[in-house]
Amino acid sequence: ELKVEQNPLFLSMQEGKNYTIYCNYSTTSDRLYWYRQDPGKSLESLFVLLSNGAVKQEGRLMASLDTKARLSTLHITAAVHDLSATYFCAGGYTGNQFYFGTGTSLTVIP
Amino acid sequence: AAGVIQSPRHLIKEKRETATLKCYPIPRHDTVYWYQQGPGQDPQFLISFYEKMQSDKGSIPDRFSAQQFSDYHSELNMSSLELGDSALYFCASSSRWRVDGYTFGSGTRLTVV
């Protein structure tokens, strides 16, 4: 079973600052996902990372994947309040279930 | 674009009652996954179906059952409901061999009283 760990679990950051969320996974996985979830809402797909060295960016968020280290990162640049949410990474194999990390609850304060 | 549709959005049941949750995947998606998310927790995988056959099974209680029908929609049946079953239930769909991410429905919030 794939184990996925995220840190930090809680993150409070000021607007305009940068920070990185880390996602470690225990065994090989052929894809790594990042999702955003607002309270009581569904999971919104942010990124799908498929290969070693993959880097994807959307607005103030950038995700990367290092399959050798079994590590993915989600970097936040110049945070704004709208980014406040819980961020999950998830890994797995094509066609099979994927396993979620514990989530990082991000609060961006003015 | 069509999304994953779940119904109902909210459901309130009493202990020991039965509930049925429905999921309509994105057209041409052949795989459906069910997840349960308790308050403040990460989603926990319950069960998945590929081409109407169960493909993977997670931490689904014996009181729960699910199936995928010929039109690819799926239903999660929950019997003898317990207070601890109160959660958000998500359905996700995908095309098994596509490289894009899974798409989640809006979820069904089940409250057992």
Side-chain angles (χ1 to χ4, degrees):
Chain A
E1 178 181 316
L2 182 67
K3 302 285 187 189
V4 182
E5 293 185 351
Q6 283 180 243
N7 70 85
L9 296 183
F10 299 93
L11 176 57
S12 180
M13 55 189 298
Q14 285 189 313
E15 280 190 331
K17 298 292 187 182
N18 305 332
Y19 208 83
T20 300
I21 299 170
Y22 296 89
C23 173
N24 291 90
Y25 53 99
S26 60
T27 64
T28 56
S29 169
D30 72 349
R31 56 198 56 211
L32 197 293
Y33 302 94
W34 283 97
Y35 285 89
R36 168 184 171 143
Q37 187 177 37
D38 292 293
K41 303 294 185 182
S42 185
L43 293 135
E44 175 191 354
S45 179
L46 296 175
F47 302 108
V48 181
L49 303 168
L50 301 173
S51 59
N52 188 42
V55 177
K56 291 193 175 180
Q57 183 165 6
E58 181 75 32
R60 301 175 187 274
L61 301 178
M62 182 174 71
S64 67
L65 179 62
D66 180 344
T67 57
K68 294 179 181 177
R70 295 179 187 159
L71 170 70
S72 180
T73 62
L74 181 66
H75 186 73
I76 302 155
T77 301
V80 293
H81 179 71
D82 286 351
L83 290 180
S84 296
T86 298
Y87 293 85
F88 289 97
C89 65
Y93 275 97
T94 306
N96 293 324
Q97 65 162 297
F98 46 111
Y99 297 86
F100 282 86
T102 47
T104 296
S105 177
L106 171 65
T107 302
V108 180
I109 54 179
Chain B
V4 178
I5 306 221
Q6 289 188 247
S7 67
R9 292 293 304 276
H10 303 273
L11 190 58
I12 300 175
K13 290 284 186 178
E14 294 188 352
K15 284 195 305 182
R16 292 180 289 279
E17 283 193 318
T18 298
T20 297
L21 280 53
K22 297 185 179 182
C23 170
Y24 296 86
I26 289 173
R28 291 183 294 281
H29 277 192
D30 50 27
T31 308
V32 167
Y33 307 79
W34 285 98
Y35 281 80
Q36 176 192 58
Q37 186 179 29
Q41 297 182 358
D42 56 295
Q44 295 294 312
F45 173 72
L46 293 177
I47 196 166
S48 63
F49 292 88
Y50 167 64
E51 285 290 344
K52 294 151 280 184
M53 299 286 289
Q54 181 183 308
S55 60
D56 204 356
K57 192 172 181 180
S59 51
I60 183 169
D62 292 340
R63 300 177 288 107
F64 293 7
S65 65
Q67 57 183 320
Q68 187 178 31
F69 294 86
S70 58
D71 64 351
Y72 293 98
H73 94 273
S74 178
E75 295 183 4
L76 177 65
N77 298 294
M78 310 158 70
S79 62
S80 302
L81 287 169
E82 302 173 356
L83 295 178
D85 296 328
S86 296
L88 267 172
Y89 289 83
F90 289 109
C91 168
S93 76
S94 72
S95 177
R96 187 177 182 87
W97 306 112
R98 284 177 61 91
V99 298
D100 55 359
Y102 301 78
T103 303
F104 281 83
S106 299
T108 294
R109 179 174 293 281
L110 172 66
T111 303
V112 181
V113 297

